[in-house]
């Protein structure tokens, strides 16, 4: 009985002090700031699609509106939701508003490197294969 109590107490202490790793989870459209900064009024739907990709939400009743939705769940368990909305008039981009996670890919890569989930030499330039 005493061993079970000691094991239970140790488990509670380890779980409560943040030693257990919780991976951050990003879902939806992770947009890069360099692409969003290139948006201009008057761009065609095709140009916007090539910059940002397909929107997460496609509403058949509001085809002039594209919603890029993304969520992030951090290690603390809190979930953050951001939405970037674009409006078109005909085939031309008219306006946009909202927020997105501009550096989510970089944040996630840094976080994963801390725990060894991503190779550290990924950012190094590749050498051409030696021919022989």
């Amino acid at each position: 009985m005493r061993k079970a109590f000691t094991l239970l107490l140790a488990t509670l202490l380890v779980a409560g002090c943040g030693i257990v790793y919780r991976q951050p989870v990003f879902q939806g459209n992770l947009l890069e700031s360099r692409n969003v900064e290139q948006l201009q009024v008057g761009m065609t739907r095709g140009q916007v699609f090539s910059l940002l990709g397909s929107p997460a939400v496609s509403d058949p009743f509001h085809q002039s509106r594209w919603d890029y939705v993304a969520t992030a769940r951090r290690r603390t368990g809190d979930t953050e939701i951001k939405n970037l909305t674009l409006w078109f008039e005909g085939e031309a981009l008219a306006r946009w508003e909202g927020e997105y996670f501009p550096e989510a890919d970089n944040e996630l890569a840094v976080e994963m490197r801390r725990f060894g989930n991503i190779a550290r030499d990924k950012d190094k330039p590749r050498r051409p294969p030696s021919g022989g």
Side-chain angles (χ1 to χ4, degrees), residues 30-40 43 47-53 68 84 86 93 96 100 102-103 105:
L30 297 179
L31 305 173
E32 295 184 19
S33 57
R34 65 184 168 142
N35 293 342
V36 176
E37 291 168 0
Q38 292 181 42
L39 289 175
Q40 297 177 4
M43 293 179 87
Q47 290 171 321
V48 172
F49 183 84
S50 67
L51 275 177
L52 304 181
Y68 291 88
L84 179 67
L86 285 66
L93 180 62
W96 61 92
Y100 61 101
E103 304 300 328
D105 287 337

Side-chain angles (χ1 to χ4, degrees), residues 41-107:
V41 172
M43 293 179 87
T44 65
R45 290 176 188 253
Q47 290 171 321
V48 172
F49 183 84
S50 67
L51 275 177
L52 304 181
S54 62
V57 178
S58 180
D59 186 351
F61 299 108
H62 300 101
Q63 294 181 357
S64 62
R65 175 180 167 162
W66 287 6
D67 289 298
Y68 291 88
V69 181
T71 62
R73 190 185 77 218
R74 307 289 179 168
R75 290 177 50 174
T76 59
D78 297 332
T79 300
E80 186 178 2
I81 301 171
K82 295 200 178 185
N83 186 24
L84 179 67
T85 303
L86 285 66
W87 285 273
F88 293 88
E89 291 178 3
E91 287 297 311
L93 180 62
R95 64 187 171 97
W96 61 92
E97 68 180 35
E99 296 180 315
Y100 61 101
F101 296 103
E103 304 300 328
D105 287 337
N106 294 337
E107 284 180 31

Side-chain angles (χ1 to χ4, degrees), residues 1-49:
M1 182 68 164
R2 188 170 187 191
K3 288 182 182 180
F5 177 73
T6 304
L7 181 62
L8 178 63
L9 182 62
T11 303
L12 289 174
L13 289 174
V14 169
C17 63
I19 293 176
V20 177
Y21 173 69
R22 290 186 186 169
Q23 182 173 348
V25 177
F26 291 92
Q27 292 181 320
N29 296 99
L30 297 179
L31 305 173
E32 295 184 19
S33 57
R34 65 184 168 142
N35 293 342
V36 176
E37 291 168 0
Q38 292 181 42
L39 289 175
Q40 297 177 4
V41 172
M43 293 179 87
T44 65
R45 290 176 188 253
Q47 290 171 321
V48 172
F49 183 84

